[in-house]
Amino acid sequence: SSSSGDEALRDKRARILSRGLPKQKPIEGVKQVVVVASGKGGVGKSTTAVNIALALAANDSTKEVGLLDADIYGPSIPKMMNLKGNPELTPKNLMRPLKNYGIACMSMGFLIEETAPIVWRGLMVMSAVEKLLRQVDWGQLDYLVIDMPPGTGDVQLSVSQNIPIAGAVIVSTPQDVALLDAHKGAEMFRKVHVPVLGLVQNMSVFQCPKCKHETHIFGADGVRDLAKTLGLDILGDVPLHVNIRETCDSGQPVVISQPQSDA
């Protein structure tokens, strides 16, 4: 009968699909993985990832925290965490993360010259991501924060399907163009069954340092409206503040260098 034929076809499809997806395998020694993502570049995702990692460690000194820079083409964690040099290798041929402010860090930026471009096709990028995920000796970590590249491409899918992820944080500015891409990012994580912990609205308001007048340069509540649409929480509303930018550029992120400041 046609119904039993349909069922057999469905079974076959399910078998092929299940074979095609990689089996998720935890990163050795890592308890929880949190990914920080954005649909669009330039919305402050790396700045947010760095300060989240430092805040996790600052909130509970008993927790060990690591930071993985999965942005192969534009690694910015070395500069923001004030780290240079090549990782040492363990006897098992695993890379040892570089450490600053108590955070273990790994990035493509440690393996190439600072100004050297990565001119690679997708397969080479995927191989590099696999190495950064699997060939690093993280020791014992309570949290590994992964700074994802912008977009919804190969790297995001590969990371999401290869390792169990506790949750994703999506960073966006309030402007419409960024929100469109943030929406796509949230939907992508839902498709690959990664829980979205919530949204961070970055560069939300600029306060003039002289007259204290506040200007919503990128719009006021765009991320709040998107969060309502998606049924997600707003995890933070970060102002457009020169201190946040300057401290990250100088390798002394605001959470560690100015912990009492409003920023």
Side-chain angles (χ1 to χ4, degrees), residues 70-186:
D71 195 343
I72 303 296
Y73 290 117
S76 46
I77 297 303
K79 184 171 179 60
M80 291 183 175
M81 289 296 285
N82 197 22
L83 285 166
K84 270 187 179 155
N86 301 114
E88 292 175 2
L89 289 178
T90 69
K92 288 184 177 173
N93 228 22
L94 298 176
M95 293 180 285
R96 277 207 180 96
L98 274 59
K99 220 169 183 185
N100 197 10
Y101 310 123
I103 308 292
C105 301
M106 182 49 67
S107 168
M108 196 69 207
F110 300 147
L111 308 174
I112 54 162
E113 289 293 318
E114 196 173 26
T115 54
I118 302 272
V119 189
W120 286 354
R121 290 189 183 276
L123 278 172
M124 290 170 77
V125 172
M126 299 322 297
S127 169
V129 169
E130 182 67 20
K131 282 187 172 65
L132 289 174
L133 286 175
R134 300 286 176 207
Q135 293 182 18
V136 177
D137 179 10
W138 289 106
Q140 295 298 314
L141 290 184
D142 294 283
Y143 302 107
L144 177 63
V145 177
I146 300 184
D147 178 23
M148 293 281 232
T152 55
D154 282 350
V155 174
Q156 290 81 352
L157 281 172
S158 182
V159 171
S160 304
Q161 291 174 343
N162 268 295
I163 58 171
I165 294 170
V169 173
I170 302 206
V171 183
S172 181
T173 56
Q175 73 197 102
D176 290 351
V177 178
L179 292 167
L180 279 171
D181 289 344
H183 195 154
K184 288 175 193 164

Side-chain angles (χ1 to χ4, degrees), residues 8 44 54 61 84 97 99 150 160 183 221 246 260:
L54 289 163
S61 58
K84 270 187 179 155
K99 220 169 183 185
S160 304
H183 195 154
D221 286 318
E246 282 179 348
Q260 304 308 319

Side-chain angles (χ1 to χ4, degrees), residues 33-40 43-54 56 65-71 77 144-151 155-156 159-160 163 165-172 185 188-189 194-202 235:
V33 175
V34 176
V35 298
V36 180
S38 70
K40 201 161 202 55
V43 296
K45 169 187 52 60
S46 295
T47 302
T48 306
V50 162
N51 283 298
I52 284 174
L54 289 163
L56 284 168
V65 181
L67 181 59
L68 172 60
D69 189 351
D71 195 343
I77 297 303
L144 177 63
V145 177
I146 300 184
D147 178 23
M148 293 281 232
V155 174
Q156 290 81 352
V159 171
S160 304
I163 58 171
I165 294 170
V169 173
I170 302 206
V171 183
S172 181
M188 182 208 76
F189 284 118
V194 169
V196 179
L197 302 173
L199 306 178
V200 171
Q201 177 161 276
N202 197 23
L235 302 174

